[in-house]
Amino acid sequence: FAVDIDVLNADLGLQSSWGLVGDATVNSWDGPDMEMFQTGTNQYAIYAELSGGFIKFRFNEDWGNNYGDTGADGTLEPGGDNIAIANPGTYYITFDLDNLTYSVTPFLSDKKASL
């Protein structure tokens, strides 16, 4: 059965002003951004269909407040390098603004139907 990522995202929390931007997203670098959902204080997440390419985290679709990962070490820097997405697919992406960390994890839904 197919998983509806809109339903998964709605269950995460309230939509925030933080989003994903990049050529791996549906709207590329021009936006609008894929809005993330607040899962806790300064904690954000989203289930996203991405193509291969790059992403960054951006606040309120403003390049004056964006984060990337210089050195590809899992830590974020203001205005840091683009984050590579090697393969197209569905991902669960988290962003921790307090610790300036993130994760990009392939999302594999349970493909078995309930009997």
Side-chain angles (χ1 to χ4, degrees), residues 52-72:
F54 297 94
I55 61 169
K56 288 185 97 168
F57 298 96
R58 184 165 73 162
F59 184 76
N60 207 25
E61 301 186 19
D62 178 5
W63 282 113
N65 196 356
N66 75 87
Y67 287 90
D69 183 359
T70 301

Side-chain angles (χ1 to χ4, degrees), residues 8-19 34-47 59 92-98:
L8 292 173
N9 281 326
D11 288 342
L12 290 174
L14 296 176
Q15 198 170 40
S16 76
S17 294
W18 281 100
M34 297 177 75
E35 301 300 333
M36 298 186 80
F37 297 83
Q38 188 162 4
T39 58
T41 304
N42 290 325
Q43 307 288 314
Y44 306 92
I46 188 172
Y47 291 92
F59 184 76
Y92 178 65
I93 300 167
T94 64
F95 170 43
D96 180 337
L97 188 57
D98 287 337

Side-chain angles (χ1 to χ4, degrees), residues 1 21 102:
F1 63 93
V21 64
Y102 71 98

